[in-house]
Amino acid sequence: METLLQDLRHAFRLLRRSPGFTAVSVLTLALAIGATTAIFSVVYGVLLRPLPYTDPDRIVAIHEVNTRGTWSRLADPNFDDFRDQNRSFQVIAKYTAYVMSISGGAQPTRTMVASVSPDFLKVFQAQPIIGRGFTSADSHKGSAPAALVSNGYWKQQFGSSTDLSQLHLKIDNQIFAVIGVLPDGFQFPTETEVYIPADLEGENPSRTSHNYDAVARLRDGLTSRQASAEISAIARRIRDNSTEKGDYLLADAAVLPLQASMTSKSRPALLILLGAVGFLLLVACANVANLLLAQASVRERELAVRSALGAGRGRLVRQFLTEALLLSLTAGALGVLGAFSGVRGLVALAPQDLPRLESIAVNVPVLVFAFLLSAAVAVGLGIFTAVRATSGDVREALSEGGRSQSGSQSSERVGRIIVASQIAITLVLVIGAGLFGRSLMKVLAVDPGFRVDHIVTMDVALPWAETPKQKSTQITFFSNLIDRLKQIPGVHKVGATSGLPMTGGLPDGMFLLMTQEEVPKVSPEDREAFGRAFDLLFHQKERLGTANFGVVTDGYFQALGIPLLRGRLFEERDTVDAPHVAVISESLAHSRWPGQDPIGHTIEFGNMDGDPRLLTVVGIVGDVHDYGLDAPPRPTVYVDLFQRPRAAITLTMLTDADTQLVTASARSILQELNPEIPPTFRTFAQVYSASLGSRRFNLILIAFFGIVALLLATAGVFGVMAYSVSRRTREIGVRVALGARSRDVLTMILNQGMRTILIGIVIGLAGSFALTRTLSSLLFGVTATDPLTFAAVIALLIATALLACYIPARRATKVDPMVALRYE
């Protein structure tokens, strides 16, 4: 301990004697350690932090796998077979969640409501803190409506009342009795506040209607891989034995750990960001290593004297380790302080669809990571510097009186190797940033197919309607609401849609080409006979088509500027009792009716809304990028809201008035029409911007890492060249005295620097070709080996490195030979 304290005091004195070196080293390491800690906090919070449930590693998600090999939700009969035939799960449950209008609490709210099967809470081993959970008696057709509420909702809307008999919620015109309050902190799916039983209206018998997600708890001793093999076998039996056919019938099924399922889309980007910040840390450590080598060369005589007085190499290595530890831990402490601010910035910058956003924080595991990282940096730098500094001959250093250049030359070679490595790593980072930047530019160059600016949106959810009378009431309500919104000063167009572009897309399904004469002469009320008649037609593949299904008004196309290409839009004559009409997208017209005019053709698309009446195509509109600018437009069928009403819609208002005035007026109008329906307002520009959130997040971080690495690499080149020039002052003086011109000296120094730079670029190019391929899935419109990006980055790196070399080289040309000859 006494020796350790001596080493610490000596290290502190050394660092205090060199304030410039200490400040630059600490700040460089603090920046890198802080950035690494901040990114790790995101990776830990999203990918590594255990889910807040009992034995979370035993909770799994179950997905159907479609014919394209992608995941889809579960159909009711398929879930029932998985539940009844599996031997891998203790318990299995299905769920789905939607934002709905709820009244009955302190005020009407738009709240996420999950419909769950009775065993849902058993999967998470959660129990209500007040009341009870669902039983099988609560979850079948005709059961008395019951609800569970989250702890936060209970406190905010019911004032923490413990008398559950007095607590009721109105959802979809039904009164739900609150039977239980969930424990504080329990929430699944994300943002869910109210839970109601699934199947209150009965199950959907179709195996191609994918309405639910599923979770399960594994039996003891079983793995998710074993469970996946069993569920896959059940899925294949279902497909082989099912009378239903087509692309919407499951092809397989998969079981994954719930955490892996939740984070599957975010994992690649986060791991790439962690790797990028790791590269930044390496560049920073390389810079500090060069500074430490320069400091060690200055201390050559001191180390030689200490060795001559009996200090063994191990003792000297320990001293260097202590100095590096003091330097690194100081930088680590500053870095952690910076990480707190960095994490807040990352959370604010992160895309809203990033899962587990609320779990991101600088917590104990992150602090442990920061400490271990600082210690690892200290050990690496300390050992590297100590080995280099203590590798010389003690007697030679003493006999030369400190004038030996062999150690200095060796240090210069190591320094150039380090700089070449910095250049290589920086090249990889900056190329990555360039690829992300070019990709974002390509995305922004895509025509979305709609207007973005001057659009205010209002989300409204009415109770679900099934009877003709209820649907008529919905139509009247929406008609009155749209008419009133049109009267707001500054509002020019008002439309409605069941799915706003860039918010997740419209549901898709399979439609059938048929004529009015082919409609089964069976009453739609006789669902079994009606379904059998349609099944015969659905087996004729040449009649089938696949498209998204949107419920809109004509004002929606006008407000968003979606062009009418042929035919007409919806009109006042298109009432609920008139022949039902449809407007289709350009891509659907080309794919389903190539070389034909679709106008006048009739299709049946009743599997999307339960209405079997035929739709006559009356118009063709431009394509819209519903799923994001980087996703191709999908064929779409639009139907008229006033013919086929939908409970949950988004109003779109084209306006040049102040947004706050428009939202206040619209809120007031809605309150007058129905005070129990709360709205949610956004501008379409906000929606559009949010759709680019992931790309913007990745680009900003990679660009930041690349810029910092470029600055550090430039500083490294400058430092090594400046050190080299200072060590070669006597040599340069001799050359000048013998007749060398300034241009000769300049060329000599620049050639030396460029050799190092070019070696680094060659290594970096090889690494870039290997590593940037991992970015392919995150790019759009550019390849991972985009030649323009590579050429631009190489030119930038050469230019900045040359500038860093030029300054010391220029200084070398000013050497006075008389002074240089007296050097040392």
Side-chain angles (χ1 to χ4, degrees), residues 731-745 815 817 821:
E731 174 200 337
I732 293 170
V734 171
R735 289 177 179 271
V736 172
L738 293 176
R741 295 170 297 176
S742 297
R743 186 175 62 185
D744 299 328
V745 174
V815 170
L821 292 174

Side-chain angles (χ1 to χ4, degrees), residues 438-450 452 502 623-633 688 692 695 780-781:
R438 288 258 294 152
S439 185
L440 182 59
M441 290 174 62
K442 292 282 188 180
V443 169
L444 293 175
V446 172
D447 179 9
F450 50 77
V452 174
M502 307 293 185
D623 283 326
V624 169
H625 289 263
D626 274 316
Y627 291 82
L629 297 178
D630 51 357
Y688 180 81
L692 300 171
R695 291 192 177 278
F780 174 79

Side-chain angles (χ1 to χ4, degrees), residues 20-21 23-32 279-295 327 377 381 384-385 414-423 425-426 707-721 804:
F21 158 78
V24 171
S25 299
V26 168
L27 291 177
T28 300
L29 289 178
L31 177 63
F279 279 173
L280 174 62
L281 179 65
L282 289 176
V283 173
C285 289
N287 245 27
V288 175
N290 258 335
L291 292 174
L292 288 171
L293 280 179
Q295 284 291 102
L327 197 69
V377 168
L381 290 176
F384 173 77
T385 311
V414 174
R416 287 196 291 270
I417 292 171
I418 292 174
V419 166
S421 302
Q422 283 184 294
I423 294 291
I425 295 171
T426 300
I707 291 171
V708 173
L710 183 60
L711 293 175
L712 291 177
T714 304
V717 172
F718 174 82
V720 167
M721 295 306 298

Side-chain angles (χ1 to χ4, degrees), residues 235-389:
R236 289 194 295 270
R237 285 201 301 270
I238 292 173
R239 183 170 184 84
D240 293 341
N241 299 328
S242 175
T243 57
E244 298 182 61
K245 301 297 180 183
D247 292 340
Y248 285 89
L249 182 65
L250 83 172
D252 205 339
V255 175
L256 290 90
L258 179 59
Q259 187 164 352
S261 174
M262 292 170 60
T263 60
S264 59
K265 293 182 179 179
S266 305
R267 181 181 297 272
L270 290 181
L271 293 180
I272 286 172
L273 290 177
L274 186 62
V277 80
F279 279 173
L280 174 62
L281 179 65
L282 289 176
V283 173
C285 289
N287 245 27
V288 175
N290 258 335
L291 292 174
L292 288 171
L293 280 179
Q295 284 291 102
S297 66
V298 174
R299 297 169 59 188
E300 285 177 356
R301 183 171 175 77
E302 171 209 332
L303 297 175
V305 170
R306 294 181 66 183
S307 297
L309 293 176
R313 190 175 188 186
R315 181 70 181 82
L316 296 178
V317 168
R318 190 168 64 192
Q319 176 63 51
F320 276 100
L321 279 173
T322 305
E323 294 169 13
L325 186 64
L326 184 59
L327 197 69
S328 183
L329 290 182
T330 303
L334 290 176
V336 168
L337 291 177
F340 280 96
S341 299
V343 167
R344 287 194 292 270
L346 288 173
V347 171
L349 183 65
Q352 294 306 303
D353 60 353
L354 184 67
R356 309 193 69 197
L357 202 56
E358 72 286 348
S359 298
I360 298 173
V362 181
N363 46 31
V364 173
V366 174
L367 291 176
V368 171
F369 168 82
F371 173 76
L372 294 176
L373 179 65
S374 301
V377 168
V379 171
L381 290 176
I383 291 179
F384 173 77
T385 311
V387 169
R388 292 300 311 163

Side-chain angles (χ1 to χ4, degrees), residues 150 461 511 569 643 674:
S150 71
F511 64 84
L569 299 177
Q643 290 189 325
N674 191 332

Side-chain angles (χ1 to χ4, degrees), residues 47-172:
L47 302 181
L48 302 178
R49 187 175 186 178
L51 296 173
Y53 313 118
T54 304
D55 296 331
D57 55 322
R58 293 175 56 200
I59 303 176
V60 295
I62 305 166
H63 302 277
E64 289 188 14
V65 179
N66 58 33
T67 54
R68 297 185 298 274
T70 57
W71 296 344
S72 64
R73 306 173 83 190
L74 275 65
D76 282 334
N78 298 341
F79 169 80
D80 293 342
D81 286 344
F82 291 158
R83 178 194 61 204
D84 299 336
Q85 298 178 30
N86 88 85
R87 297 293 180 269
S88 300
F89 307 133
Q90 289 182 1
V91 65
I92 180 175
K94 64 182 181 181
Y95 68 93
T96 189
Y98 299 98
V99 174
M100 305 178 75
S101 297
I102 300 180
S103 58
Q107 60 184 7
T109 60
R110 281 178 55 80
T111 302
M112 187 70 74
V113 179
S115 299
V116 302
S117 58
D119 292 331
F120 181 77
L121 291 182
K122 294 180 182 177
V123 172
F124 300 94
Q125 293 190 351
Q127 291 292 331
I129 58 171
I130 300 175
R132 65 175 179 85
F134 295 131
T135 65
S136 56
D138 297 312
S139 189
H140 58 76
K141 193 170 184 177
S143 298
L148 299 171
V149 297
S150 71
N151 204 277
Y153 192 88
W154 171 61
K155 292 175 181 176
Q156 293 174 8
Q157 297 297 321
F158 296 120
S160 302
S161 173
T162 56
D163 185 3
L164 298 186
S165 64
Q166 301 300 313
L167 307 185
H168 296 83
L169 294 172
K170 186 177 181 181
I171 308 173
D172 263 352

